[in-house]
Amino acid sequence: MSDQIKFIVDNLNKEPFRKNYNLITFDSLEPMQLLQILNDILAEIDPKQIVDIREEMPEQTAKRMLSLLGILKYKPPGNVTDMSTFRQGLVIGSKPVIYPVLHWLLQRTNELKKRAYLARFLIKLEVPSEFLQDETVADTNKQYEELMEAFKTLHKECEQLKTSGFSTAEIRRDISAMEEEKDQLIKRVERLKKRVETVQNHQRMLKIARQLRVEKEREEFLAQQKQEQKNQLFHAVQRLQRVQNQLKSMRHAAADAKPESLMKRLEEEIKFNSYMVTEKFPKELESKKKELHFLQKVVSEPAMGHSDLLELESKINEVNTQINQLIEKKMMRNEPIEGKLSLYRQQASIISRKKEAKADELQETKEKLASLEREVSVKTNQTREFDGTEVLKGDEFKRYVSKLRSKSTVFKKKHQIIAEFKAEFGLLQRTEELLKQRHENIQHQLQTIEEKKGISGYSYTQEELERVSALKSEVDEMKGRTLDDMSEMVKKLNSLVSEKKSALAPVIKELRQLRQKCQELTQECDEKKSQYDSCAAGLESNRSKLEQEVRGLREECLQEESRYHYTNCMIKNLEVQLRRATDEMKAYVSSDQQEKRKAIREQYTKNIAEQENLGKKLREKQKAVRESHGPNMKQAKMWRDFEQLMECKKQCFLKQQSQTSIGQVIQEGGEDRLIL
C-alpha cells in the first residue's frame, strides 16, 4: 500500500498535475479532495470531465465517473458482490476504493487517453428495433455505421503513417536534388546558346528566350508574392485565433471570478499597503530623521583631533563594560517572568524582521516588474517607429529566421554562379580580342598578296561563299538537333514534375488535414490551459491561506509548549519547596531528639547561639584591647626609644674603632681620655 501511495504522489507532483504533495499531506486529504483529484485525472484523460465536484451532486459525480471507468475497462478488485461497496466507496470518497483507481489510471495515462478519444466515435448507439422500421431512421443508422467504419480505417492509416517513418526531410532532399538538376540544365542551355550564336537570327531567338525567361521570373515572383500573402494571411489568422483565445480566457476568468476571491485579493493588497504606510514607511522616515539629526550634529561640532578620538573610544569602552555588567546582573537574577517576556520579545522581533524582509522583497519585485514593463513598451515603440511592424514572437520569429536562412543559401548559390559567369566572360573576351588581332593581320597579308597578283577581293568572295554554304549546312543540322534535344528535355521535365506532383499530392492532402487538426488541438489546448491556470490560481490562493493557518498554529504550538515547560519547571520547584517544608514540619513536630536535631530550625538556632557566643567573646576581647591600649602604646614608644639608643651606641662604637689609628683612648674613673 505504501508503494502504491508513493507512486501516486510521485506522478501527481509531475506534469501536468504539479500538486506538490508528500506522503503525509496526501494521506491527510479529505474525501472531497480525493474525489477532486480523481476527477482531475479523469479530465486529463477525457477533457469532457472538467467539472468542479463541489458544484455537482454526489450521485451525478459517481454516475459520471463510473460510466467513464466502464468505458476505460476498469475492473475493481474483488467479485461481483463487491460492486455495491465499490460504488458506495466512490460516492463517499473512501481511500481503499480511490487509491487503486488512481494507481491504475496513472500507470496507463497515454493508453487511456487514446481509448477515451476513440470511445467518443466508436461507442455505438443502440437504436431499438421498432424505430428501425422507419426508412429515414434506418438510412441514418446505416450512414452512421458507414462513417464509423470509415473512421476506423482512417485512424488505422494515420497510425501507420505515424509509425512508417515517412518524414518531410526526405521530401526536402528530393526538392534540393531537383534544384541541382535544374542548375545543371541551365548550364546546358547556356552551352547550347553559345553554339547557336553562329546561327542566323540568333539574336531574335535569344531575345524571345530572354522574354520567356523574364516572364517565368515574373511568374515565380508572383507565385512567391502569393505565397508571402498566404503566409501573412495565415499569420493574421493565427494572431486572430490567439487574440480570440485570450479574450475567451479573460471572459472565462471574469466569469469564474467570484466576489469573495476579488474581495480577498483586495483585502490582501489593502493589508500590504496599510502595513507599508503605517509601519514600514514611518520607521524608515524616523530612522532617516535620526540619521539626518546625527549628521547635522556632527557637522555643527568642531573638528576633532586624535586625542579627542581616544577620549571618545575610552568613554565607549567604559559604557560597554557597564552594559555588560548590567547584563550579567540581570542574568544572575534569573527572573522567570522576565525570561518569558524576553522569549516573546525575541519571537516578535524575528517575526517583524521576516515581515520587513518580505515586504522589501515584494517592493523590489514590483519595481523590477514595472521597470521591465516600461522597457518592453519602449522597445516595442522603437521597433514600430523603425519599420512599422510588430515584434515577432515565438513561432513567427522561428519561421522568419528559417526563411532568411533559405534565402541566404539561394543568394550564395546565385552569387557563385554569377562569379563563374564573370570569370568565363573575361576569358572569352580576351580570346576574342586575340583572335581578332590575328584575323586582321592575316587579312592584311592576304590583301597585299592579292594586289601583287592582280586579283584583289578574290579570297574575300571565295571565303564568303564557303562560309555561307557551311553555315547553311550547320544551321540545318543544329536546328534539327536542338529542337530534338529541347523537346526531349521538356518531356523529361514534364514527366518528372508530374511524378513528383502525383507523389506529393496525398502527402499534401494529409498535411492539410493534419494542419487543420493541429489548429483544433492548439485551440483546445489553449482553452484547457486557461482553465488550468484559473484552477491553479484558486488552488494556489487556498494553499497560501492554509500555509498561513499552519504557520499561525505552529507559532501557537511553540508558545504553548514553552508555557508548558515553564509551568512544569515552576511546579517542580514548588513541589521541592513543599517537600522540604513538610520534612521540616515533621522533624520539628517529632518527639525524637535525633530527628529534631536534623531540622533546619534547630540547625539555624544552634548556629545563632554559636554566633552569639562568638560575638560575646569578641566583645570581651575588644574591651580588653581598649583597656590595654594606653599602656601598650607607652610600651611601644619605649621600645622605639630603646631601639634609637641602641642604634646610637652602635654608631659610636663603630666611630671609636675607626679612630684607634690616630690616638689611644684610656678609661679611668668612669672617664674616657684620648691620648694622641
Side-chain angles (χ1 to χ4, degrees):
M1 190 71 178
S2 61
D3 296 335
Q4 192 181 46
I5 296 172
K6 188 177 180 182
F7 176 78
I8 294 168
V9 170
D10 292 338
N11 282 277
L12 287 175
N13 291 333
K14 295 178 182 177
E15 293 288 341
F17 303 107
R18 293 186 296 177
K19 295 294 184 180
N20 294 325
Y21 287 144
N22 53 28
L23 295 175
I24 298 171
T25 56
F26 180 74
D27 192 55
S28 61
L29 291 175
E30 296 180 356
M32 186 65 71
Q33 294 173 341
L34 282 175
L35 286 173
Q36 186 63 51
I37 291 170
L38 177 59
N39 190 75
D40 293 339
I41 297 170
L42 293 174
E44 180 65 24
I45 294 168
D46 187 6
K48 291 183 179 179
Q49 304 295 322
I50 298 175
V51 177
D52 191 356
I53 61 172
R54 292 175 295 182
E55 299 175 358
E56 192 179 23
M57 295 298 291
E59 293 80 6
Q60 294 178 357
T61 304
K63 186 178 179 181
R64 179 171 52 81
M65 290 182 179
L66 284 170
S67 63
L68 183 58
L69 290 173
I71 292 169
L72 299 177
K73 298 180 181 179
Y74 173 71
K75 294 181 180 179
N79 50 16
V80 181
T81 57
D82 294 334
M83 287 300 295
S84 59
T85 58
F86 175 75
R87 291 193 187 92
Q88 188 178 0
L90 190 64
V91 170
I92 64 174
S94 177
K95 291 181 181 179
V97 175
I98 300 293
Y99 284 174
V101 178
L102 294 176
H103 186 263
W104 186 78
L105 291 173
L106 292 171
Q107 272 184 334
R108 44 184 69 83
T109 306
N110 295 323
E111 179 186 350
L112 295 175
K113 281 182 181 179
K114 185 176 178 182
R115 191 177 294 174
Y117 171 73
L118 294 174
R120 292 168 58 188
F121 306 101
L122 297 180
I123 293 178
K124 190 175 180 181
L125 295 173
E126 295 295 334
V127 182
S129 59
E130 56 268 16
F131 291 108
L132 291 174
Q133 300 298 326
D134 191 358
E135 292 182 358
T136 56
V137 176
D139 293 337
T140 307
N141 190 22
K142 187 177 180 181
Q143 291 177 3
Y144 170 67
E145 291 176 354
E146 290 174 355
L147 289 172
M148 191 179 289
E149 294 297 327
F151 175 77
K152 288 180 182 178
T153 55
L154 287 173
H155 182 71
K156 288 178 182 178
E157 290 177 0
C158 181
E159 292 295 326
Q160 289 174 1
L161 286 173
K162 285 180 180 178
T163 57
S164 63
F166 184 76
S167 62
T168 57
E170 295 178 358
I171 299 171
R172 289 175 182 171
R173 283 197 292 271
D174 293 339
I175 292 169
S176 62
M178 290 173 68
E179 288 178 353
E180 291 177 358
E181 290 177 1
K182 184 180 177 182
D183 295 335
Q184 292 176 3
L185 291 171
I186 290 168
K187 290 180 182 179
R188 289 179 64 185
V189 169
E190 291 293 331
R191 287 197 292 270
L192 290 171
K193 281 182 181 179
K194 291 178 183 177
R195 292 178 186 176
V196 174
E197 284 180 357
T198 57
V199 181
Q200 288 182 353
N201 298 325
H202 69 279
Q203 294 292 335
R204 188 169 64 84
M205 294 174 69
L206 288 173
K207 187 177 180 181
I208 293 168
R210 193 178 296 112
Q211 289 177 358
L212 178 63
R213 180 175 57 80
V214 170
E215 291 297 328
K216 285 184 177 179
E217 287 179 355
R218 188 164 174 272
E219 184 182 1
E220 289 178 357
F221 176 73
L222 291 173
Q224 187 177 2
Q225 193 173 4
K226 184 179 178 182
Q227 186 65 32
E228 287 179 357
Q229 289 178 358
K230 283 183 179 179
N231 292 330
Q232 289 177 2
L233 180 63
F234 180 70
H235 294 328
V237 170
Q238 281 188 341
R239 198 177 296 115
L240 179 63
Q241 287 179 356
R242 284 199 299 271
V243 172
Q244 286 177 353
N245 291 329
Q246 289 178 1
L247 180 63
K248 192 182 290 183
S249 63
M250 291 175 68
R251 285 178 178 174
H252 185 69
D256 290 341
K258 295 181 180 179
E260 291 83 4
S261 60
L262 293 174
M263 289 296 293
K264 186 177 179 182
R265 196 177 302 118
L266 290 172
E267 285 176 359
E268 290 178 355
E269 291 180 359
I270 290 166
K271 284 181 181 178
F272 174 73
N273 293 326
S274 62
Y275 167 73
M276 295 292 288
V277 171
T278 57
E279 295 184 14
K280 192 173 188 319
F281 288 158
K283 287 181 181 178
E284 291 181 355
L285 184 62
E286 189 67 26
S287 63
K288 295 293 181 184
K289 284 182 180 178
K290 288 181 180 178
E291 188 176 357
L292 179 63
H293 180 69
F294 178 72
L295 292 172
Q296 288 176 354
K297 188 176 179 182
V298 170
V299 170
S300 62
E301 289 181 356
M304 299 177 70
H306 186 66
S307 60
D308 296 331
L309 291 173
L310 292 174
E311 185 177 356
L312 284 174
E313 286 181 357
S314 63
K315 285 182 180 179
I316 289 166
N317 292 326
E318 288 177 0
V319 172
N320 287 329
T321 52
Q322 290 178 4
I323 289 168
N324 292 327
Q325 288 176 2
L326 291 172
I327 290 168
E328 289 177 357
K329 287 180 181 178
K330 187 177 179 181
M331 290 175 68
M332 290 295 291
R333 288 177 186 174
N334 195 13
E335 294 180 0
I337 298 171
E338 190 68 26
K340 185 177 179 181
L341 292 174
S342 65
L343 178 64
Y344 290 151
R345 288 196 195 99
Q346 187 177 4
Q347 291 178 355
S349 63
I350 290 167
I351 292 167
S352 63
R353 283 197 296 272
K354 287 183 179 178
K355 194 174 181 181
E356 290 176 358
K358 294 296 180 184
D360 294 334
E361 288 179 2
L362 183 59
Q363 192 70 20
E364 288 176 359
T365 51
K366 283 185 177 179
E367 291 175 358
K368 286 182 181 178
L369 181 62
S371 64
L372 290 172
E373 287 177 352
R374 287 196 295 271
E375 287 180 3
V376 169
S377 63
V378 170
K379 296 293 183 185
T380 52
N381 292 327
Q382 288 178 358
T383 52
R384 285 175 185 169
E385 291 175 359
F386 183 70
D387 56 356
T389 58
E390 294 183 357
V391 180
L392 298 177
K393 296 180 182 178
D395 296 335
E396 295 179 358
F397 183 73
K398 289 180 181 178
R399 292 194 200 95
Y400 180 70
V401 171
S402 63
K403 191 176 179 182
L404 284 179
R405 286 176 181 169
S406 62
K407 285 186 178 181
S408 64
T409 54
V410 173
F411 172 75
K412 287 177 182 177
K413 286 182 181 179
K414 299 294 182 184
H415 188 70
Q416 187 177 2
I417 292 167
I418 290 168
E420 291 176 357
F421 286 164
K422 284 182 179 179
E424 191 174 357
F425 176 72
L427 290 172
L428 292 172
Q429 196 173 9
R430 180 60 181 164
T431 53
E432 185 182 3
E433 290 175 358
L434 293 172
L435 291 172
K436 281 181 180 180
Q437 289 176 2
R438 289 176 65 185
H439 180 67
E440 288 176 358
N441 294 327
I442 292 167
Q443 286 292 331
H444 185 67
Q445 290 175 4
L446 186 61
Q447 285 177 4
T448 54
I449 292 167
E450 286 178 352
E451 287 176 357
K452 286 179 182 180
K453 299 291 184 181
I455 51 172
S456 60
Y458 175 76
S459 61
Y460 178 72
T461 54
Q462 184 70 28
E463 187 179 350
E464 280 290 326
L465 289 171
E466 290 177 356
R467 190 170 67 81
V468 168
S469 62
L471 284 173
K472 189 172 182 292
S473 63
E474 287 179 359
V475 165
D476 293 335
E477 291 178 359
M478 289 294 293
K479 278 183 180 180
R481 280 184 291 178
T482 52
L483 289 171
D484 293 336
D485 292 338
M486 290 178 75
S487 62
E488 288 178 0
M489 197 180 300
V490 169
K491 286 179 182 179
K492 287 181 180 179
L493 287 172
N494 289 328
S495 63
L496 284 171
V497 169
S498 61
E499 287 177 1
K500 295 297 180 182
K501 281 184 178 179
S502 61
L504 290 173
V507 178
I508 291 168
K509 189 176 179 182
E510 292 175 0
L511 187 61
R512 287 175 183 169
Q513 293 177 357
L514 291 173
R515 279 180 182 171
Q516 189 175 2
K517 277 188 180 178
C518 181
Q519 290 178 0
E520 293 175 357
L521 290 173
T522 52
Q523 187 176 1
E524 190 175 356
C525 178
D526 293 335
E527 292 177 359
K528 301 303 180 187
K529 189 176 181 182
S530 63
Q531 292 176 2
Y532 170 75
D533 291 335
S534 62
C535 182
L539 293 174
E540 185 68 23
S541 63
N542 291 331
R543 186 177 67 83
S544 62
K545 183 179 178 181
L546 291 173
E547 285 180 354
Q548 290 178 359
E549 290 180 359
V550 169
R551 199 178 296 113
L553 291 172
R554 282 181 179 173
E555 291 176 357
E556 289 180 3
C557 181
L558 290 172
Q559 292 176 1
E560 296 296 331
E561 189 176 355
S562 62
R563 192 181 298 165
Y564 166 72
H565 289 303
Y566 174 72
T567 308
N568 198 6
C569 293
M570 292 295 292
I571 289 168
K572 287 182 180 178
N573 290 329
L574 292 172
E575 286 177 355
V576 170
Q577 292 177 4
L578 183 62
R579 195 182 302 116
R580 290 177 65 185
T582 51
D583 293 340
E584 181 68 20
M585 287 296 295
K586 286 179 182 178
Y588 182 71
V589 175
S590 176
S591 59
D592 191 3
Q593 293 298 326
Q594 289 291 114
E595 199 69 30
K596 228 175 198 183
R597 286 173 188 170
K598 290 181 182 179
I600 296 172
R601 184 172 181 179
E602 292 295 328
Q603 292 177 5
Y604 279 152
T605 53
K606 185 178 178 182
N607 290 332
I608 289 166
E610 289 177 356
Q611 294 296 325
E612 286 179 353
N613 293 328
L614 182 61
K616 189 176 181 181
K617 288 179 182 179
L618 290 172
R619 283 195 294 274
E620 290 176 356
K621 192 174 181 181
Q622 183 182 9
K623 186 178 179 182
V625 167
R626 284 178 181 174
E627 289 176 356
S628 61
H629 180 262
N632 288 332
M633 291 297 291
K634 289 180 181 179
Q635 190 175 3
K637 188 178 180 183
M638 290 172 67
W639 277 107
R640 285 196 293 274
D641 294 339
F642 178 71
E643 185 179 3
Q644 290 178 1
L645 182 62
M646 294 301 293
E647 184 68 28
C648 184
K649 282 187 177 183
K650 179 182 176 184
Q651 295 293 331
C652 291
F653 179 73
L654 292 172
K655 193 182 285 186
Q656 185 180 0
Q657 283 185 353
S658 63
Q659 291 177 358
T660 50
S661 59
I662 300 172
Q664 186 177 4
V665 179
I666 299 171
Q667 294 181 356
E668 289 180 356
E671 295 180 354
D672 295 333
R673 286 185 297 171
L674 177 61
I675 299 172
L676 300 175

